[in-house]
Structure formats: C-alpha cells, structure tokens
Amino acid sequence: KQQEQDEAAAEAKRIAEEEAKKAQEEKEKAAAAAEEARKKQELDYSLKAAGESGPISGFYLLCNVGEGDFEDFSIYNNGSEPVNLQYGISGASSDVFSLSMISGSTNLNPTDVSRFQIVLKPSAPVGSYQGKLYFKDARDDKNAHTIYLSVSADVKSKSAVSRVTIYPHNISLTKGTDYYFGAEVDGTDPSVSQAVNWSVTGAKSEDTYITDDGLLVISKKEKASSLSVIATSQADPRYNDRATVSVKSGTYNVTVSANPQNGGIVTGGGAVSRGSSVTLTAVANKNYYFEGWSRDGNIVSSATNYRIDDVESNISVTANFKQNFVTITAVSENDQAGSVVGGGQISYGGKTTLSAKAKDGYVFTGWQEGDSIISTSASLELNNLTFDRRITGKFAKTNYTITVGANPAAGGIVTGGGTYSLGSSATIEAKESPGYTFVSWNVNDQVVSRSPSYKIDRVDRDISFTAVFLQTGAVTYAISSGVATTGGTITPCGLTAVLRGQSVTYTITPKTGFAILAVAVDGVQVGPVSSYTFPNIVGNHAIAAAFVQTDAGAKAVLASGETPQSQKVQEIPKTEQNTATENNTVNLADAASGTAGDEFVEEMDLSDIPIPTDAELGIEDTSDIPIDSEVLRKLGITLDQAKEMIASGQSLELMAAAFYEGTLDFYVDNQYAPPSPLPDYHTLTREELEQTAKTDIYPSMPNLGSVTEKLLTYDELVEIAEGSMANVTVSITKQDTRTDDTNVKLMRQAVGQKPLQYFDLTMMKMVNGIPENVTRLEVPMEVIIAIPEDIYRAGKTYSVLRVHDGELSILPDLDDDPKTITFRTDRFSSYAIAEQLATTRELATRFAIGALAALVIALLCLVILLFHQIKVRKARRASKR
C-alpha cells in the first residue's frame, strides 16, 4: 500500500513537472512572439535610403532613459547595409543637454554597435527642460525615418549655492559715467555656476541701467542720490546681494575690477574730486597670487596698495591675479572594490590622467562627477584644468548572489539561485509540491511577482527571494494595505494572502519631514500608531496609513531649495495602477532597497481628523529657539553667553571654535616667509588641526589670532558666533622700484639705511561677504620675513622701513637670526628691507673719534702757529740788532 502511494505521488509529481514544463514553454513562446512583434514594430522606424521603397538599412534603438534619468544607451545597425549615422539634440532646451558618443563609430556596418550618453550640463540653472535626441542615416535628407528620443530634466537645487557677494559693496560714482560691478557665487560645489542676473533699483532716469555683464551706466540726467545694484544667482534665485551707489556730481570715476573676478578682492575707487588722490587695494584669494595693476593694457604697478594722484579724468584700473594650481580629487567609491590614482594639485590650465583598477571580484563601471557619469573608460585624461574637481571612481561586484527559499519549506521546490555576473539575467522558478499552491515571490515581505517563473532582467545586487506557497484547500484571507496620503510607507504594502488563524504585523513609517496622522483598519480609526498587528485572522481586512507634513519639515525643504507640499495633508487618488490587487506587484528595485511601501493606495476618510500642530506632535518649533550654530554647539553655550564672552573681551575661545569649524578662516600669503616644514593647515583634518599649536598654523605671523580678536568688532564677532563666514587675509608681496614713487623716495632718504627690496604689507577682513581694507591695527602684528639670498650679506645688519601716510619709520630686527627679520607693525602700506649703513652707536663713536681727531689737528696747528710766531719774532729782533 505504501509502495502504491509512493508511485502515485511520483506520477503526480511527474505530471505536474510536465505540465509546468509545457506551461513554461508556452510562456517562452509567447514572450518570443511578443519580442518579435516588438522588433517588427520598431523596425517600422528603420532607415530607408532616399527614393527607395523598401528598408535597405536600419538600426534598432535600445535605451533606458526615463524622465530625469541620464544614462547611456546603444544604437544597433541590424540592417543589411552600412549606416552613416547622424545624431544630435533638438528642442528649446537643447543647449542644457550634452549628447556624446562614448564608444563605436558613426560608420555602422551591419551588427555594429555604438554607445551614447546623454547628460545634463553642470551649468544648467534651476528649471524644467525638454529636448529630443534624433538619430538618422545621412541619406535620409527628408527625415522620413528619423528616430526620436525625448528627454526631460527638472533641476531644483543642484547648484548648492550658499551665498552671493557683490563687489564693491559701497561706492560713490559720478553722473554720466559707467562702472563695472563684480559678483562671486559661493557654494558647496567648487564648480557652482558664477552666472548672475544684474538689476538696478532707485534710478529716476530711464537712461540709467545695468548690462548683463554688470556694467552700470549712470545717466547725466540722473536725479537720484542713491542707487542699489543687485546681483542674483542664476543657479538659485533665492540668493542675491546688493551694493549701495552714491551718485555724485562734478567728480571723476576711478573704476577698479579684478581679473579673473574670483582671483581676489579689490577695494577703493569710485567718485574722486578733481585733483584728488585715491588708493586702490588688491588682496589675492586663496590659491591665487597678485600679478599687478594694469591701465590701458599696461602694467603700472605691482604694489598691492596702488595710489593714484591728481585724478583729472575717468580712470579704469584692473587688478590682475593668476591662479597657482587646481585641485583634482580622485577617490574610490569603495576602497575594497578598487583603487584610483592621479589628480592632486595640478598647475592651472594643466592636465592629468586618472586611472582606476578594480580588485578581484569587482569591475570598474565609470567616473562620476556630481550626479553624472563622465566616462566609462578606466583611464580618464582631463585637460585645460581651470577649477577644482572631485571625481569618484565607481566599481561593482562582478558576481552577485541570488538566494531563493520556500515558505513553508515543504510547499515546493525553488530553483534559480546561485552566483550571477553583473548585468546578466537570471530566472528563478517555483514548483509546487503536491497539496500546495504557489502564491508569490516576495522580497523583504513585498510581493514582486505572482508568477512561478520570474526573470530578473539585470542582476546588480544580492537579493533574497522567498516563494510563498499555500496548502491546497487551506482557508485563506486577503489583507489589502496602502497609504492614503503622501509622506510615508506601510510595510508590507499591496495584497497579501494569509492563512486562517495567522497573525500579521504592519509597520507604518513617516518620511523625513512628516508624521503619522492616522491609521485606519477596515475603515475604523485606530490612531496614529507606528505598527498594527492583525491577530488570529478569520476574515479579509484592509489597513490604510495617512501622514501629515510638519511645519519643521516644510521649512527644511524650503531651506534645501526645493518646494514643500502646498497642503499639510495631501491625499493620493486611488487609480487602477496603484490599487492593491492580486495582479499588481511591488517594483523589485524598491523592494530590494527597502524603499517600497507607498506603491499602493487605500482610501481613508480624513474629514473628521484634525490636523495636529508641530507642538501637538511633540516637534519643537525652532523659529523661537535661540540660534544654535556649529560654533555655539562646539563651545556648548548659547548665543547670549557668547555675547557676554565677546563683551568681556574673552572672544579668543569663540574664534578658535569658529576656526576649527571652518567658519573663520585665515589666509597668509607671505612671499618672504622663512622655509617651514609645516604643512598648509588647509590640508589637515579637523583632528590634526586641533592638535596643532596656533603658532604653527601661521608661523610667519605668530600673533595673528590676538590681532584679529581686536580687529573684529563686537557685531562681527556676534555674526561669527551665529555661523556667518569670515576670513582675514594678509599678504606680503614684492613691489616695483619706480623712482617716481613718493614712498620709494622717502625710504631712500632714510639716514643710515639703504633700501634693498620693496614690498607691500596688506590686510583685509571679510565678514558675511563684505570686504574691508585694514589700514591700522589696535594691537601691533608680529611679522617674520626671510632676507632674500640675492641681497643678504653676512655680517650686515638689516631692518624694515615703513612709509604710512607720508611718515617714514624704521622698524628694527627683533630676533637673533641674521637671515630673518622679525618686526612689529600696526599699519599697512609700503615697506622695504634695508641694510643698515651704521647704527646710532657706531655713528656716535665715529663722530666722537672724528671730533677728537679734529681737536688734535687743531691743537697741532695752534702749536705750529705759535712756534712760527715765536720764530718770526726772534728773527725780527735779530735784524734790529
């Protein structure tokens, strides 16, 4: 009897397997027929030679470019003759897209393939764009069989703009003249677009305007005494800055600009009375150096403080800067997967080659910059480098594991699991055991397929699948779950079959910026619970979750540059596509990544549910909470406590916190700095920086911190405590030695001093984007310079000469090193390294010796004269005798 039962079971199993095999074959035939029909349909777009009636050549377009996605795709020539491929972009927004061939050729022979990539240009400002790609044969001059591919993009806040700064911030200009304004756009991305829109307000004359490149034209008839010039970021119009212009009469304009605009900061200029003088100041930005002032294309001075006397006409002066290098940062997305080499500090305008090497078990997939893949070649050459870039080498495993299991284990046999290469396809199959029925393939409790045979088109991750079976004749019930509004997920979502008496738990999770508003089970509200369990199920059920956007969440979205929901509660319409049915399934990628849970909708009556406030939800309203900047958090104090510290003159600790947090920065460009083994502190990590002595951070100006403490005003220190950016720049640059320079003439008249080399010492502070040239200090700054080898002579004594507002001072050397000069100064203007011809003591000694010698000579002369007179008298007496 047992043998008969075994034989019957084996026969049933054989029959089931044959039926499953036949079903699979029928399915494969249907799929092949559908694929063939699809190909035939697409071949209706095949290329035809002009004047021919039948298709003699063609290509087949494969792509995976959806709305907002920019990827690579292939063009196949599946015709019988060569294709001379032409391609391009059309449409109103075609200029923001970039279509490029990344492999292959435009000369496509039969079966040849060329790969293309469509990307959004990094310069694309905020907005929505549409374009069309076209592919055709050169012979199809009428575009009768051109293939088009639509692309679109929605740029919301990709620019990461943090601030716009206009230069100059305040200036006086005369009527009837022009003046160029500059603007700098700061952001987290070093390649953030510098483009701005210019506008002017307050003008009373229609002939006063500003051009697209920042040239303000003031009418001779302008009656307004003040104007505002506004620069607004094109990448993110939320950010702008404005300059105040005082309009004068009977003056001349001294226009000053920086070249390039982001090379440095320039101050001075504006409206100058006839015959007056004006001083212009230039300070190079980090990674730039000052090259000199130019007028009419000619360099007129290399001094960072350039004085123009006797202004008799409008003058345009340019401060020229040159960049030292650009930084190309190449990193591996996963050090365990592969390594990258190349990059570093590259000379401005130079080039470098990045190379990627995958480790065993991985393959290199491309170079990513920002959100775009810029190349799939393992060797990438970058040319004409003019800005910092960060490029990531991406790798993927060459093999991934597909795991399959059955629930219950006796429910059936599952196959298809194993190791698959990246990009390959895999098919998993479930065969029911006698007495069981296949229900679905699940991933992370989400139904991804209801077919026993499921194909994964592209394997690119490890995935665990569970085949769910039910006993034949078992009593089951259906639970339908979904969301009623945007803002969260419910897991599992969709339609789930459960056994009688079984228990199932659902998890409700709000997204960032949202909270749970309500949960309804079978139409009955159960409160804003985060989970709900159906115990001992004996019937069908439905569960729905609703969410509410918090005020704090809406503010955070606004701060990120995106647009929050227009309503705190936004219902989702229930349509056939997002209804939980026994046919619909969850997207595999979403299920595998754990982001599924809002793909299906359940309706919920929200009419009687009050919308809670943030306070009722237990969310603090940050609008009235004192500012909590990174600086204050590091110190563990409130803003009021910080103000007390500043008022009492104890702001060094606050400045140190701002320095370590990166909101207060120093840039010292000392061309005469003594050689130092210490690295540039900008290259140190925060941990390394905090362990570095302050005197080692800027060794040629050891008391710069205490100087800055006195330099910054109370209001500026408060702004820094609140998180505003601030920096202090000090530059020592070699100056020309023109003989007609008034300061040079004064230094050459210094008694006992021989000027050997002239230099400018310039200081500038910038708080919250507003630059200010520093001319005097409350506390003298200590400066250390090395005497250049071409002027140094052993045994000689050196000092520093300074001319400030026409006053000459001699600053002595305060250190014992004969090859360096340490001096203190509280004024910023023209300086020179001088060799002392004689010290005061030496001069006094020489004078004393000279005076003594003169006295001796005088005495000798007197003695000789007396002796001569005695001799003459004797002679006279002798003659009288």
Side-chain angles (χ1 to χ4, degrees):
K1 185 175 181 181
Q2 181 63 42
Q3 183 178 359
E4 290 177 354
Q5 290 177 345
D6 292 342
E7 289 176 351
E11 179 64 16
K13 182 177 180 180
R14 183 186 65 78
I15 294 172
E17 289 176 349
E18 287 181 353
E19 290 178 350
K21 184 177 180 180
K22 289 180 180 179
Q24 180 62 25
E25 289 175 350
E26 291 296 327
K27 184 177 180 180
E28 290 176 352
K29 288 181 180 179
E35 176 68 10
E36 186 64 26
R38 183 177 67 83
K39 285 185 177 181
K40 287 181 177 179
Q41 182 180 10
E42 292 186 344
L43 283 176
D44 288 342
Y45 296 92
S46 295
L47 299 176
K48 300 178 181 179
E52 298 290 338
S53 58
I56 63 171
S57 63
F59 56 84
Y60 171 38
L61 176 64
L62 284 180
C63 65
N64 184 24
V65 182
E67 183 176 353
D69 296 326
F70 302 92
E71 301 179 0
D72 59 298
F73 54 92
S74 300
I75 296 294
Y76 288 78
N77 179 5
N78 66 341
S80 58
E81 293 189 10
V83 171
N84 183 3
L85 187 65
Q86 292 183 343
Y87 61 92
I89 310 174
S90 63
S93 304
S94 61
D95 57 329
V96 304
F97 294 104
S98 177
L99 175 64
S100 59
M101 180 185 293
I102 57 178
S103 67
S105 170
T106 55
N107 296 318
L108 290 176
N109 292 317
T111 72
D112 281 354
V113 181
S114 290
R115 289 173 62 80
F116 289 82
Q117 185 180 64
I118 176 70
V119 298
L120 186 71
K121 293 181 180 179
S123 59
V126 173
S128 297
Y129 305 99
Q130 292 80 35
K132 276 191 176 183
L133 314 183
Y134 62 85
F135 302 88
K136 56 174 287 186
D137 188 277
R139 295 168 290 182
D140 186 12
D141 56 353
K142 295 182 179 180
N143 295 322
H145 306 285
T146 300
I147 292 180
Y148 293 95
L149 172 64
S150 296
V151 291
S152 62
D154 186 18
V155 183
K156 293 182 178 178
S157 187
K158 64 178 288 296
S159 63
V161 174
S162 59
R163 182 178 64 190
V164 176
T165 303
I166 193 171
Y167 300 113
H169 226 264
N170 295 281
I171 194 169
S172 295
L173 298 175
T174 189
K175 295 180 181 180
T177 56
D178 308 340
Y179 191 91
Y180 271 107
F181 283 84
E184 182 175 351
V185 181
D186 294 324
T188 56
D189 183 354
S191 61
V192 61
S193 172
Q194 294 294 312
V196 296
N197 291 324
W198 292 98
S199 59
V200 58
T201 62
K204 295 182 179 180
S205 170
E206 294 181 354
D207 295 329
T208 295
Y209 61 92
I210 191 166
T211 63
D212 292 341
D213 56 353
L215 177 65
L216 175 65
V217 179
I218 303 178
S219 170
K220 292 181 180 180
K221 300 178 181 179
E222 182 57 61
K223 296 182 179 181
S225 60
S226 179
L227 307 173
S228 289
V229 173
I230 305 170
T232 303
S233 169
Q234 290 185 7
D236 193 338
R238 295 177 304 139
Y239 294 90
N240 62 72
D241 193 19
R242 66 178 57 215
T244 301
V245 181
S246 298
V247 182
K248 304 292 184 182
S249 299
T251 57
Y252 295 111
N253 273 352
V254 177
T255 304
V256 58
S257 60
N259 178 36
Q261 183 176 298
N262 61 340
I265 303 169
V266 292
T267 60
V272 180
S273 300
R274 180 175 183 177
S276 299
S277 62
V278 63
T279 298
L280 312 179
T281 300
V283 174
N285 284 335
K286 200 175 302 177
N287 190 26
Y288 285 84
Y289 65 90
F290 178 63
E291 192 177 35
W293 297 96
S294 61
R295 289 172 58 180
D296 300 324
N298 300 315
I299 297 294
V300 293
S301 175
S302 61
T304 53
N305 296 300
Y306 174 43
R307 180 185 174 96
I308 304 175
D309 295 314
D310 299 325
V311 175
E312 295 290 341
S313 63
N314 293 328
I315 299 173
S316 180
V317 186
T318 301
N320 299 287
F321 302 93
K322 285 291 183 68
Q323 189 169 349
N324 294 308
F325 57 83
V326 297
T327 300
I328 306 300
T329 304
V331 297
S332 171
E333 179 187 38
N334 180 0
D335 291 336
Q336 303 301 316
S339 59
V340 298
V341 295
Q345 291 185 348
I346 311 300
S347 297
Y348 182 82
K351 65 180 181 179
T352 188
T353 298
L354 309 182
S355 299
K357 184 177 181 181
K359 295 182 179 180
D360 291 342
Y362 292 86
V363 63
F364 175 74
T365 59
W367 297 101
Q368 179 173 322
E369 185 172 20
D371 296 328
S372 302
I373 298 295
I374 59 175
S375 175
T376 56
S377 172
S379 179
L380 173 63
E381 183 175 297
L382 304 172
N383 298 300
N384 190 28
L385 296 169
T386 57
F387 58 87
D388 295 346
R389 300 174 68 176
R390 182 180 178 86
I391 300 175
T392 301
K394 298 179 70 67
F395 300 87
K397 291 170 62 177
T398 55
N399 296 304
Y400 290 91
T401 301
I402 300 296
T403 304
V404 293
N407 181 25
I413 300 172
V414 290
T415 60
T419 301
Y420 292 85
S421 60
L422 171 66
S424 63
S425 62
T427 299
I428 55 177
E429 295 186 355
K431 295 182 179 180
E432 306 157 340
S433 296
Y436 286 88
T437 300
F438 173 81
V439 177
S440 63
W441 283 107
N442 289 12
V443 173
N444 291 329
D445 293 328
Q446 303 283 17
V447 177
V448 296
S449 175
R450 300 184 187 276
S451 172
S453 180
Y454 178 56
K455 182 180 180 181
I456 302 101
D457 293 326
R458 188 177 189 276
V459 177
D460 58 4
R461 69 185 78 196
D462 297 328
I463 309 178
S464 180
F465 292 86
T466 299
V468 178
F469 299 92
L470 288 177
Q471 278 188 311
T472 304
V475 178
T476 62
Y477 299 100
I479 299 181
S480 177
S481 65
V483 295
T485 69
T486 60
T489 61
I490 183 169
T491 307
C493 70
L495 194 66
T496 303
V498 294
L499 290 170
R500 178 186 178 91
Q502 187 178 2
S503 297
V504 178
T505 298
Y506 285 81
T507 301
I508 297 92
T509 307
K511 295 180 180 179
T512 302
F514 288 82
I516 300 172
L517 175 65
V519 175
V521 175
D522 298 331
V524 179
Q525 298 291 332
V526 296
V529 297
S530 59
S531 67
Y532 184 85
T533 299
F534 290 96
N536 190 28
I537 295 169
V538 292
N540 297 330
H541 295 285
I543 181 171
F547 305 89
V548 57
Q549 184 182 41
T550 66
D551 293 334
K555 289 179 181 178
V557 172
L558 276 172
S560 70
E562 298 184 5
T563 304
Q565 287 184 182
S566 57
Q567 300 173 329
K568 291 178 68 68
V569 177
Q570 183 172 308
E571 295 187 55
I572 306 175
K574 188 172 184 177
T575 63
E576 182 179 352
Q577 290 76 19
N578 58 16
T579 300
T581 68
E582 60 183 16
N583 295 320
N584 286 340
T585 59
V586 172
N587 179 274
L588 174 61
D590 291 341
S593 62
T595 58
D598 60 354
E599 300 193 8
F600 301 104
V601 176
E602 285 292 332
E603 294 177 343
M604 183 190 302
D605 184 4
L606 301 173
S607 58
D608 295 330
I609 300 177
I611 299 176
T613 64
D614 279 19
E616 292 170 335
L617 291 168
I619 300 172
E620 274 191 298
D621 182 4
T622 59
S623 59
D624 296 326
I625 295 177
I627 292 175
D628 183 25
S629 67
E630 293 181 356
V631 176
L632 297 178
R633 284 197 294 272
K634 183 172 181 62
L635 293 173
I637 61 175
T638 65
L639 181 60
D640 288 338
Q641 291 173 321
K643 290 179 178 179
E644 291 177 5
M645 290 175 58
I646 298 168
S648 62
Q650 300 176 348
S651 53
L652 277 177
E653 186 179 358
L654 184 144
M655 288 171 52
F659 176 73
Y660 294 132
E661 291 300 321
T663 56
L664 173 61
D665 195 12
F666 296 91
Y667 176 48
V668 175
D669 181 20
N670 183 354
Q671 293 185 356
Y672 298 99
S676 174
L678 302 172
D680 181 355
Y681 79 83
H682 293 94
T683 64
L684 302 177
T685 64
R686 178 177 297 183
E687 293 73 17
E688 293 171 335
L689 191 59
E690 293 187 354
Q691 295 173 4
T692 303
K694 292 182 176 61
T695 53
D696 290 343
I697 294 175
Y698 22 81
S700 66
M701 296 174 189
N703 71 330
L704 183 57
S706 57
V707 168
T708 304
E709 180 190 24
K710 298 297 183 182
L711 174 65
L712 296 170
T713 66
Y714 172 86
D715 291 337
E716 290 170 340
L717 287 167
V718 170
E719 287 186 71
I720 293 171
E722 292 173 341
S724 293
M725 298 295 295
N727 62 65
V728 174
T729 302
V730 185
S731 69
I732 298 179
T733 55
K734 185 178 178 181
Q735 183 186 353
D736 60 18
T737 55
R738 293 179 299 125
T739 57
D740 60 344
D741 190 300
T742 303
N743 294 337
V744 170
K745 290 178 180 179
L746 282 173
M747 292 185 203
R748 288 179 175 174
Q749 296 173 7
V751 178
Q753 304 288 331
K754 181 183 178 181
L756 301 176
Q757 198 163 105
Y758 301 90
F759 65 90
D760 270 2
L761 177 55
T762 305
M763 188 175 197
M764 190 171 290
K765 68 174 178 179
M766 181 184 291
V767 180
N768 208 15
I770 302 176
E772 180 182 334
N773 188 35
V774 179
T775 58
R776 299 196 69 160
L777 291 174
E778 186 177 336
V779 177
M781 183 169 66
E782 188 170 297
V783 181
I784 304 173
I785 61 175
I787 304 170
E789 292 184 2
D790 58 341
I791 64 173
Y792 174 75
R793 291 196 297 169
K796 295 295 181 180
T797 302
Y798 296 88
S799 59
V800 168
L801 305 181
R802 179 187 69 195
V803 174
H804 183 82
D805 290 341
E807 179 184 342
L808 173 66
S809 302
I810 301 175
L811 309 178
D813 185 3
L814 303 177
D815 66 34
D816 297 327
D817 188 343
K819 293 188 175 182
T820 65
I821 302 174
T822 299
F823 64 97
R824 293 191 182 98
T825 184
D826 60 353
R827 306 173 192 187
F828 298 90
S829 51
S830 297
Y831 289 76
I833 299 173
E835 178 186 318
Q836 292 187 12
L837 300 178
T839 64
T840 304
R841 180 177 296 179
E842 289 172 339
L843 289 174
T845 302
R846 291 177 186 179
F847 178 78
I849 293 173
L852 181 61
L855 180 60
V856 171
I857 293 171
L859 290 174
L860 286 174
C861 291
L862 181 59
V863 171
I864 293 171
L865 179 61
L866 291 173
F867 179 77
H868 178 69
Q869 288 180 345
I870 293 172
K871 187 176 179 180
V872 170
R873 289 174 183 173
K874 286 182 178 181
R876 287 177 180 173
R877 291 174 185 167
S879 64
K880 289 180 179 180
R881 295 177 183 171

